[in-house]
Amino acid sequence: MSGPIRHIVMWRLRGETPAERSAARLKVKTLFEGLRGQIDGLTHIEVGLDVSDVDYACDVVLFSEFADQAALATYATHPEHLRVREALGDLRIGRFQVDYPVKETGA
């Protein structure tokens, strides 16, 4: 597969109180946004924090794009990405992921 690929990940996070969950959300956002400009082939990264407060919602969504499948594979084992994963430890209790090719649309 060639061409850009989108990588979307959603997490549910630990936290007994609303304050703990809020701190966990902010930590995930800060750490992943810190990857901006650190990994070749990572062309876009955005982290959104849920504001719906519905019981079935995830807490955080990572929306990222990579130049191609090879860049996404490099990201998976990149030392900076691994550092973020290590820093988050067991903060994440649920994880959902979708990767798909970006189709160019004619205007």
Side-chain angles (χ1 to χ4, degrees):
M1 178 181 334
S2 65
I5 188 160
R6 215 164 261 155
H7 173 69
I8 299 175
V9 184
M10 295 185 295
W11 296 279
R12 294 202 48 123
L13 305 175
R14 289 191 193 289
E16 297 298 319
T17 66
E20 288 175 353
R21 294 275 292 276
S22 179
R25 290 173 181 181
L26 187 57
K27 182 176 184 176
V28 171
K29 180 177 178 64
T30 301
L31 287 170
F32 274 98
E33 286 180 346
L35 295 176
R36 190 174 287 121
Q38 300 294 313
I39 301 174
D40 288 342
L42 173 60
T43 60
H44 179 81
I45 191 163
E46 176 181 338
V47 181
L49 307 180
D50 180 62
V51 296
S52 72
D53 286 328
V54 295
D55 63 349
Y56 54 84
C58 289
D59 295 296
V60 179
V61 62
L62 168 71
F63 178 91
S64 54
E65 282 190 13
F66 294 84
D68 52 30
Q69 185 69 38
L72 177 57
T74 297
Y75 164 81
T77 59
H78 192 281
E80 287 301 310
H81 178 238
L82 296 178
R83 179 189 59 77
V84 167
R85 288 180 53 191
E86 178 72 22
L88 294 175
D90 68 347
L91 191 63
R92 297 158 294 171
I93 57 175
R95 182 181 187 281
F96 306 90
Q97 175 178 325
V98 175
D99 297 331
Y100 61 94
V102 177
K103 294 188 179 182
E104 303 220 9
T105 59

